Amino acid sequence: MTSCEKRAAGIRVRNLFFDYHLRPCLKGVGLDLQPGEILGVLGPNGSGKSTLLKTLFGHLKAREGEIELAGLPLESLTPRERARRVAFVPQNSGLRAPLTVFQAVLMGRYSRKGSRFGGYSGNDFRLAEQVLRDLSLSEFIHRPVTELSGGEFQKVLLARAFVQEAPVIFLDEATSNLDIHHTLEIMATVQDKVVREGLSVVSVMHDLNLAASWCDRIAIMKEGAVFVCGDPREVITREIIRQVYGVSLVVHHDQEGIPYVLPRVSATREVSCA
Ligand SMILES: Nc1ncnc2c1ncn2[C@@H]1O[C@H](COP(=O)(O)OP(=O)(O)OP(=O)(O)O)[C@@H](O)[C@H]1O
């Protein structure tokens, strides 16, 4: 059992296995997540991070294992019940229909509508406007989503997740298309919501430094399993990075003890020569 499996939580995952066409991809993953916590999921390309999120969300069906969202088994929830509990910001969304930004964001309120066939309420409209303001997207409100840059579109997907008002949010590389200003803006907005509203966030990401400064805990995956999970100070170490990524990096610490790495191109050669 890793330190990500110790607590009862908003999400509880045990012994999760998933195969693509009989090829094992997730091999016994276990995780817990508390309300008010940001869990970073890191690991090399192809280690199973996106597959894990898709399985936790129910897009993919696990071969074996248990997934509980807010104390209820995932398989017992209807799509509408699930959407009230968890919002998913995917890496690549198929949402390229000719909708305006406002219409796309409003779609996040679908699971909250009084009736499936009824219209949106005044509260739905107000909330969508508020979230667009919070994410500095008001100027795009009438623009078709098909005419947005990659980064602008990624912020719209995040806005859609926020208006869903789900207590759990999954982010799959949600800031990968954003410049450093917008990346930090998004992270601060998410962190603020986590603290004020007690959300649980699982965020797949690659940047070790951003993860170390933003996440309460980090799970590093390797070959379909959680290799290590814990406080960023315990997890971002030279030895773990070498074992998981096969590069030799020096790990520094800032005044608060938060680790950071300075990538060097020669780092791969140092490991293969070692
Ligand atoms: N639809 C699919 N069919 C078959 N194999 C797949 C499929 N999607 C992913 N895989 C394989 O499963 C493994 C895990 O993929 P996954 O996308 O979960 O990795 P990841 O850790 O998110 O990678 P990255 O960091 O590159 O986004 C990879 O070997 C990948 O090739």
Side-chain angles (χ1 to χ4, degrees):
M1 178 178 281
T2 70
S3 64
C4 275
E5 290 181 62
K6 283 180 187 156
R7 317 177 219 182
I11 302 177
R12 181 178 174 279
V13 181
R14 290 291 176 276
N15 209 26
L16 200 63
F17 287 81
F18 176 82
D19 303 335
Y20 283 114
H21 320 296
L22 300 178
R23 196 167 53 80
C25 180
L26 299 179
K27 305 169 190 169
V29 173
L31 290 173
D32 282 320
L33 185 68
Q34 296 276 35
E37 204 176 29
I38 301 176
L39 174 70
V41 177
L42 280 71
N45 294 128
S47 55
K49 304 178 296 296
S50 295
T51 304
L52 173 62
L53 276 198
K54 288 176 194 163
T55 310
L56 297 187
F57 190 64
H59 274 168
L60 298 175
K61 184 157 171 42
R63 164 166 60 82
E64 199 181 317
E66 295 167 39
I67 302 169
E68 278 181 14
L69 294 176
L72 292 171
L74 178 67
E75 67 268 17
S76 72
L77 303 174
T78 65
R80 198 169 154 86
E81 287 168 339
R82 187 187 63 198
R84 287 173 174 234
R85 286 171 176 77
V86 56
F88 186 30
V89 181
Q91 206 171 0
N92 296 303
S93 165
L95 178 65
R96 284 294 182 173
L99 299 172
T100 65
V101 165
F102 193 70
Q103 288 168 328
V105 170
L106 207 52
M107 280 171 62
R109 294 300 294 166
Y110 181 77
S111 66
R112 299 274 170 191
K113 285 200 300 187
S115 116
R116 278 169 60 190
F117 304 106
Y120 292 105
S121 68
N123 184 48
D124 294 329
F125 289 109
R126 273 191 298 279
L127 191 67
E129 281 166 6
Q130 178 63 48
V131 168
L132 285 164
R133 263 197 305 278
D134 290 348
L135 290 171
S136 312
L137 285 170
S138 298
E139 64 178 293
F140 298 103
I141 203 159
H142 300 301
R143 287 263 294 272
V145 291
T146 45
E147 294 177 14
L148 298 177
S149 76
E152 290 159 356
F153 182 62
Q154 211 153 7
K155 284 178 75 173
V156 169
L157 292 180
L158 198 69
R160 187 181 61 167
F162 281 173
V163 301
Q164 213 170 310
E165 291 190 310
V168 177
I169 299 186
F170 294 157
L171 305 174
D172 194 355
E173 298 188 39
T175 58
S176 60
N177 281 329
L178 301 179
D179 63 45
I180 190 66
H181 174 95
H182 289 101
T183 297
L184 296 177
E185 181 189 30
I186 294 289
M187 287 181 154
T189 308
V190 171
Q191 197 166 41
D192 190 49
K193 279 188 166 293
V194 166
V195 171
R196 276 192 300 115
E197 299 170 23
L199 298 186
S200 307
V201 172
V202 182
S203 180
V204 166
M205 51 204 302
H206 279 293
D207 191 310
L208 298 172
N209 293 336
L210 288 175
S213 73
W214 187 54
C215 300
D216 298 296
R217 283 181 304 139
I218 291 176
I220 302 193
M221 294 191 65
K222 184 181 181 188
E223 296 168 7
V226 176
F227 182 79
V228 65
C229 181
D231 185 283
R233 294 172 183 83
E234 300 160 8
V235 165
I236 306 293
T237 68
R238 182 174 190 157
E239 185 52 23
I240 288 174
I241 292 170
R242 193 187 64 74
Q243 289 179 38
V244 175
Y245 292 96
V247 292
S248 176
L249 298 178
V250 178
V251 178
H252 302 274
H253 295 85
D254 71 10
Q255 287 167 338
E256 293 170 33
I258 307 288
Y260 65 94
V261 298
L262 297 175
R264 284 184 302 127
V265 173
S266 58
T268 328
R269 276 200 298 276
E270 284 169 26
V271 168
S272 42
C273 296

